[in-house]
Amino acid sequence: MSPGRVVATVLALAYTALLFFLTLGPIRQRLIGDEAPGGVLNPVIWLTAETWTSGRLYEFVANVVVFVPWGFLVLLALGIRWWWVAAFAGLALTLTIEIGQIPLPRISDPRDLVANMLGTLVGIALAVTLVRRRDAALRRRGSLERGGEELLQG
């Protein structure tokens, strides 16, 4: 494993721990009464219009933004060929969080699941884009250097 992947793996694990703390750790206010019984495991909540029309936009956006670095780091740790594993891991992570919130004084919400997954996919897409651009630049630089060497030798 390359040193860059090792660093990305360590950072992804640390960020995962931070996400668990932020989403499952203690909070000041009690949210009892705001959550739907069964949270994301309740099929009715997924089909209720109020689920998708209530809530604040900034909460949705914040959930997206918080998961972008996670998707980015996991993709760098795995490599771009494994983007689908990173996406599946993001789904598993956010499902674990949302299900873990059900017995806690937290709100398990389908919107959070969707926002977290969207953030993961944005992070993955950013990492794929940056890795491909870096690789293309390295290939161009390598061909230019080889071309220059050939001119000097020829």
Side-chain angles (χ1 to χ4, degrees):
M1 185 181 290
S2 74
R5 283 198 179 166
V6 170
V7 170
T9 300
V10 169
L11 290 174
L13 290 171
Y15 200 80
T16 301
L18 176 64
L19 286 174
F20 277 126
F21 177 76
L22 292 175
T23 58
L24 299 172
I27 55 173
R28 290 185 184 173
Q29 65 185 36
R30 295 284 179 206
L31 302 172
I32 304 296
D34 291 336
E35 73 281 355
V40 296
L41 296 178
N42 181 347
V44 173
I45 195 173
W46 285 88
L47 304 174
T48 304
E50 184 180 346
T51 296
W52 305 104
T53 57
S54 64
R56 296 200 163 56
L57 180 60
Y58 74 86
E59 291 172 350
F60 186 87
V61 171
N63 279 336
V64 171
V65 168
V66 165
F67 272 79
V68 169
W70 189 88
F72 187 89
L73 290 169
V74 169
L75 194 277
L76 291 181
L78 294 174
I80 64 173
R81 288 188 194 137
W82 299 98
W83 67 268
W84 58 275
V85 173
F88 183 77
L91 179 61
L93 174 63
T94 192
L95 271 172
T96 300
I97 288 168
E98 293 303 317
I99 292 169
Q101 289 177 338
I102 293 171
L104 300 175
R106 297 282 194 151
I107 297 175
S108 173
D109 190 327
R111 288 172 302 198
D112 292 349
L113 187 81
V114 169
N116 297 350
M117 196 59 212
L118 182 60
T120 298
L121 293 173
V122 168
I124 289 169
L126 284 171
V128 167
T129 301
L130 290 175
V131 168
R132 285 187 175 162
R133 284 186 178 186
R134 182 207 61 197
D135 290 351
L138 290 173
R139 279 193 301 275
R140 280 193 306 274
R141 185 181 312 149
S143 66
L144 289 175
E145 288 173 3
R146 279 193 307 274
E149 290 172 7
E150 290 170 3
L151 285 174
L152 293 173
Q153 291 175 2

